[in-house]
Structures are given as structure tokens and as C-alpha cells.
Amino acid sequence: MSALLSVQGLTVRAGDKTLVSDLSFSIGAGERMGLIGESGSGKSMTAMAVTGLLPANISVSGSIVLDGQEVVGADEKHLNRLRGVATAVVFQEPLTALDPLMKIGKQIAEPVRRRLARDGQRPSRAAIDREVLDLLDKVALPQSERIANAYPHEVSGGQRQRVAIAMALACRPRLLIADEPTTALDVTTQAEILRLLDGLVRETGMALLFISHDLPVVAQVVERVMVLRDGVALEEGAVVDVFASPSHDYTRTLVDAARMFDEALGGTGS
Amino acid sequence: MSAQDLSIDRPARKHSLALSIGLALVGLNVAVALLTLFWTPYDPLNASGGRLEAPSLLHWVGTDRLGRDYLTQIMIGARTALIVGTGAVAIGATIGVTLGILAAFATRLLDDVMAATLDILIAFPTLLLAMLVVAASDSASLWSAILALGLAISAIVARLTRILAKRVLRQDYIVASRTSGTSWPGVVLRHVLPNIWPTLSVNFALQFGLAVIAEASLSYLGLGAPPPNASWGRLLQEAQGTVYTAPVGAIAPGIALVALVIGMNLLADGLRDVGDPTRGRSR
């Protein structure tokens, strides 16, 4: 079976600075993979490259085949058809990822409408509204009608991230890219969002590319990880293997740091 | 959970005093302008009383030196002012917003060229530009004045739109919307325009007031609407010679002009507060 996403020799450059160099990995349908690295390691650049949304002044070489189609060098029209269908993205900062002047229900309705139209339907307003409320229920937002009628600044940070996830789900993508989706949230909310993402990915059978600098967080939701540093892949493997016996010094320091942090907090470590 | 929780607590839209006064002044102007389409106290073109009569019950604001009723002319002047303001802002908004959005999307070089061109255009005095356009057209007419003012406004609107649109385009929600497959035109219509509208609409209201003043200035200089179209600027100019003997002729159109412009500015001020749902919250 061919992979849903196959990245071969991806190199991303901004001017003469190399942000990602010669990166290769693939994600099969329904598979869950994590990209780990500290800030500036090229994690988000990789994600943006996959969606073909890098700014024009950044050059991309190599090959990214998403759902059987080449992304690198593809034109806008082509990419637009691919976005939403094959991938959707959940971002780090839930407040800025939502349009401040548009009611939440309306923001979710747009991808829903586009998806239904793509399937050849001419959806009625009532059908779209029903689906929007369904989605809000699915991401476990209470009082979905009230939330749908609210502006983003009128709900809490965790709720906003749930809304962002609902927006991504509205597309019914085959690959969900989550770019540090819990970093801006407090620890309790973090755990809830992770549990939600985990459940949704299992339930819908989509593949997940989870990007984070936080090892314990990554370990909770993915099966396979890749460790990035300065745009270079250091190692890749099953979560258990990489965390139990890291083969690279850098990974070891990351794991040790996470463990020390856990111990300092009085936790038992994982 | 009680039923009350189903509604979001939004503070009742506070209609500020500024907005109320602004609405009243502009509303009065619109009402008068509409009224003149059907009825005026006297025939605006023919004498209806003695020359330079003082205000009386028959002629509330008196008559001009040809014996024509002042109130009638001021009322028609309100119509002229509204046509000029609306026309100029409509032209300025159409051209300005289009250019501004295009500039925000343009390549670096093209954007720089557009920005520099706009700065030069804005540095050029509006009245001078208007006089040039009016002089270039065959005869002074209301429409050449509107076109000239519209062009001047479009430069200001374009520069503002460009900056605002660029700021919105950098936001995460644009990327988020793009990742779900929204095309660029869709992004502009759904996200960019609604997000820059609160600021733009305030600017439109301010430009409206400035356009009304500019038209009065042009008419005062004889470059606006030619007689017999009544315009406040021309009323002022005609009253200039008799300002000591019949001051009402100068004061009355002046008050009308100031009232409309102040009304427009207050309206702009009030709009700023109600246009944005994120405003008015505790800050």
C-alpha cells in the first residue's frame, strides 16, 4: 500500500539559510507520527511545506507526495483542491487561528459547506447548521448552540482550541497536522485536548502528524516519532524504542530533561 | 444548566452620545435633501420676495440680493453636499479598496512602487488636484468635482487598505483558512474585508466630511457646481459682498455646512465603537 504522505529529500531554504535539510519520512493511512524538536528545528516548516503554504521567499526542493499528488511545485489551483481534502491543520495559538470578527459557527460552516459542495451536494442552511452543531458536540463543547453563536474572544482558550479542531475535522481530512496544539494551553486543558485528539483520530481513522517540543505530550498520542534538530533528522522509530533507548546524544538529553522535570514535579515518569 | 446560560452576555450595544448626535445631524440633512426632491418652500430660481430681506415668517432665513428665498437654497445645498460626499466616497472607496487589496498581494517591487505612488498622490493637495481636474474638463460641473475628490480620497483609502490588509494577511487565521482550502478571493471576501471594515468605515465617514468641505471650497472659488445648482460654498461666496448688511446670508449656509461635517465626524467616532464586537469589553 502506498503511503498517504511520502516526503523524500525535503530541503527548505530561506535565502542562504537552510531550515530543513534532506528530510525523508512517510505516513500511512491512519498512522500516527510525531515530529519532535526544539524551537527553530524546522518542525513547523516541514508541516507548512506539506500543505504547500510556505511564503514565496522560501524555496523548497525534494518531493512531497500527498494522497498520490506532488505538492512541491504544484500550482495554487491544484493545492487548493488538495487542502482540506487530504490535510487540515490545527495550530498552536487558538486565539489567532480564529477570525476575531466571525462567529464561531460561521467559521466552522465554511469548510463544511465546501466539503458538501465537493461531494456534489447543494447543502441547505439547516443541513450545514446541523453538521456544525454535530462537530461542536464531537469536540466535547457543551452548549454547542451558544458556542456557535459566540465570537472567539467570548470563549476560553481550551474551548477555542476545540473549535479549531472542529474546523479541521469539518474538512474530514485524511491527514490531520497538529502543530503544537497544546503548547499555549495550561496543563489540565492540555491533557483534555490530547485525549480528545487521540479519541477523534482513533474514531475517524485519519492519520496524524503531531508536532511538538514536548516529549511526554508526543508520547501520549503517536506511535512513531522523528527527532529533528537544526533541520536534520537525528533518529526515527517507534515511540517506545526511541524513548527507552535513544541512539543519539541529543535525543538522550531531551529524554533525560523530560525525566528530570517529571521527577522534580514528584511524578513517577513515564 | 439553566436556560439563561444559552445566551452570550454581550453588553448592550452602547450608543454613545457622539453617535446619537452624529446620526441626528446627518439624518436631518438626509431628510431635508430627500424633501427637496418633492417640495421646497419657494421656487429656488425665481424671486419670491424683496431683495435682501431680513428673516421673517415668510422667509425664515431671509432672501438673497435677487430676492430668492435663502432657506430654499440652503435646503437644495444639503442635497448637493450629500451627492458630492456620497459620490466622492463611493468612487474613492471602490478604487481605493481595490488598489489597496491588490497592493497587499503584490510582489515586493510592485508593492513598493504602489506605496510610493500613493504617498506622492497624498502629498499633492486635494484642492489643487480637484482644481486641475475641473479645469481639464470642459466646464465646471458637479460631476467633475465629485470625480476629482473621489480620486483624491482613493489614494488615502488605498494606502490605509494596503496597510490594514497586510496586517490581517499575516494572521494565523488566514493560514488556518487557507489550509482548509479557501482560495485567495475567498480569503479576501470572508476574512480580510470584514476585518478591515471597522477601520475603513470610520475613515469613509471622515472623508465624507472632508469631501463636503472641499466641494464648498471649490464652489466658493467658482469651480464647483455652476449656477443655478445651489451649493453652500457658492451661497457663501455670493453672500460675501453683503456680509455687513445681511449677515444671515453668510451665517446660515455656514452653520449648515459645519453641522453636516461635525455630524459626520461624530458619526465616525461613534461607528468606531460599535463596529467591532471585541470592543466595549473590559480592557
Side-chain angles (χ1 to χ4, degrees):
Chain A
M1 192 193 74
S2 70
L4 176 61
L5 170 69
S6 163
V7 175
Q8 292 300 327
L10 174 71
T11 301
V12 179
R13 279 195 195 86
D16 47 341
K17 208 173 146 215
T18 305
L19 302 171
V20 176
S21 70
D22 199 23
L23 191 68
S24 299
F25 64 92
S26 67
I27 300 180
E31 202 186 356
R32 293 182 285 164
M33 174 169 171
L35 269 184
I36 308 178
E38 55 197 28
S39 319
S41 59
K43 300 166 300 189
S44 296
M45 279 296 156
T46 309
M48 287 291 96
V50 169
T51 53
L53 276 175
L54 286 174
N57 56 350
I58 290 184
S59 71
V60 183
S61 60
S63 153
I64 300 172
V65 178
L66 179 61
D67 209 11
Q69 304 201 47
E70 179 61 54
V71 172
V72 177
D75 58 23
E76 268 305 292
K77 221 169 139 191
H78 223 80
L79 286 172
N80 259 341
R81 239 176 288 141
L82 210 53
R83 288 180 197 133
V85 186
T87 58
V89 185
V90 178
F91 291 92
Q92 175 174 349
E93 179 52 68
L95 180 57
T96 56
L98 299 173
D99 187 332
L101 293 190
M102 199 184 278
K103 286 185 180 171
I104 286 169
K106 223 180 141 198
Q107 307 207 30
I108 302 177
E110 183 59 21
V112 169
R113 194 190 55 72
R114 210 175 301 128
R115 191 192 75 227
L116 292 176
R118 205 165 54 216
D119 296 345
Q121 298 180 36
R122 288 208 45 203
S124 66
R125 220 204 177 100
I128 293 178
D129 284 352
R130 213 177 314 122
E131 185 125 351
V132 168
L133 293 182
D134 274 357
L135 281 162
L136 288 172
D137 280 339
K138 216 178 231 174
V139 294
L141 279 167
Q143 305 166 24
S144 46
E145 289 197 29
R146 172 181 161 272
I147 301 272
N149 206 28
Y151 289 100
H153 71 274
E154 292 171 329
V155 302
S156 73
Q159 286 176 325
R160 269 181 226 134
Q161 195 57 294
R162 285 167 194 270
V163 170
I165 293 174
M167 269 177 78
L169 289 181
C171 307
R172 290 216 189 127
R174 304 187 52 202
L175 170 68
L176 181 68
I177 300 176
D179 189 354
E180 305 242 12
T182 59
T183 309
L185 305 172
D186 64 69
V187 179
T188 343
T189 322
Q190 234 177 45
E192 286 169 14
I193 295 286
L194 283 179
R195 217 171 308 136
L196 174 72
L197 265 180
D198 192 47
L200 287 170
V201 169
R202 265 175 225 284
E203 191 183 312
T204 55
M206 34 181 196
L208 176 69
L209 177 60
F210 195 96
I211 298 171
S212 181
H213 64 273
D214 195 341
L215 294 188
V217 164
V218 175
Q220 278 183 53
V221 284
V222 303
E223 301 149 345
R224 212 150 52 80
V225 289
M226 177 180 247
V227 182
L228 276 183
R229 185 197 196 181
D230 297 333
V232 182
L234 294 182
E235 63 180 299
E236 189 193 351
V239 171
V240 207
D241 299 341
V242 172
F243 287 0
S245 53
S247 64
H248 198 283
D249 280 348
Y250 178 67
T251 320
R252 208 165 296 136
T253 53
L254 281 180
V255 173
D256 286 348
R259 204 162 281 150
M260 271 162 64
F261 189 63
D262 269 3
E263 277 162 12
L265 284 176
T268 49
S270 50
Chain B
M1 291 280 156
S2 67
Q4 279 177 326
D5 289 334
L6 282 172
S7 65
I8 293 283
D9 303 336
R10 292 204 180 95
R13 285 277 161 97
K14 239 186 17 210
H15 283 228
S16 59
L17 185 64
L19 186 66
S20 311
I21 298 176
L23 276 175
L25 287 175
V26 175
L28 178 69
N29 215 286
V30 173
V32 167
L34 288 176
L35 181 66
T36 60
L37 293 173
F38 308 104
W39 177 85
T40 49
Y42 292 96
D43 182 346
L45 302 181
N46 291 311
S48 54
R51 300 167 61 191
L52 289 175
E53 267 182 36
S56 65
L57 279 178
L58 279 178
H59 301 281
W60 288 6
V61 199
T63 57
D64 69 4
R65 60 189 164 183
L66 298 176
R68 296 175 300 195
D69 181 47
Y70 258 134
L71 183 63
T72 304
Q73 302 204 50
I74 289 172
M75 285 170 69
I76 292 177
R79 191 170 76 202
T80 311
L82 280 183
I83 291 174
V84 170
T86 312
V89 169
I91 292 174
T94 312
I95 301 177
V97 172
T98 312
L99 279 183
I101 296 278
L102 286 178
F105 276 101
T107 56
R108 184 78 174 272
L109 181 72
L110 187 59
D111 182 34
D112 284 351
V113 170
M114 286 177 93
T117 315
L118 289 176
D119 283 345
I120 294 170
L121 276 178
I122 290 168
F124 205 80
T126 305
L127 266 185
L128 203 53
L129 177 71
M131 287 159 86
L132 279 176
V133 172
V134 172
S137 52
D138 296 340
S139 59
S141 83
L142 200 56
W143 299 111
S144 49
I146 290 176
L147 181 67
L149 294 174
L151 288 178
I153 291 175
S154 70
I156 297 170
V157 172
R159 186 165 72 165
L160 183 66
T161 305
R162 171 179 163 271
I163 295 166
L164 292 171
K166 284 191 129 177
R167 202 168 62 195
V168 171
L169 285 172
R170 271 202 301 271
Q171 300 292 317
D172 282 352
Y173 58 83
I174 300 296
V175 184
S177 179
R178 299 271 294 135
T179 56
S180 75
T182 313
S183 60
W184 278 126
V187 167
V188 169
L189 286 179
R190 284 174 51 78
H191 298 293
V192 178
L193 289 181
N195 272 286
I196 66 177
W197 176 248
T199 316
L200 273 189
S201 60
V202 171
N203 190 259
F204 289 163
L206 289 175
Q207 298 300 335
F208 188 106
L210 292 177
V212 169
I213 292 186
E215 190 276 331
S217 311
L218 283 175
S219 297
Y220 181 83
L221 296 171
L223 292 167
N229 298 312
S231 151
W232 291 338
R234 205 167 43 75
L235 289 180
L236 283 172
Q237 192 248 328
E238 283 173 4
Q240 198 178 15
T242 56
V243 70
Y244 293 113
T245 47
V248 184
I251 294 170
I255 289 178
L257 180 64
V258 169
L260 177 58
V261 174
I262 287 184
M264 228 44 223
N265 285 359
L266 290 175
L267 191 65
D269 218 28
L271 274 179
R272 188 170 13 215
D273 295 333
V274 294
D276 183 349
T278 60
R279 286 226 182 207
R281 304 273 299 185
S282 53
R283 259 168 66 88

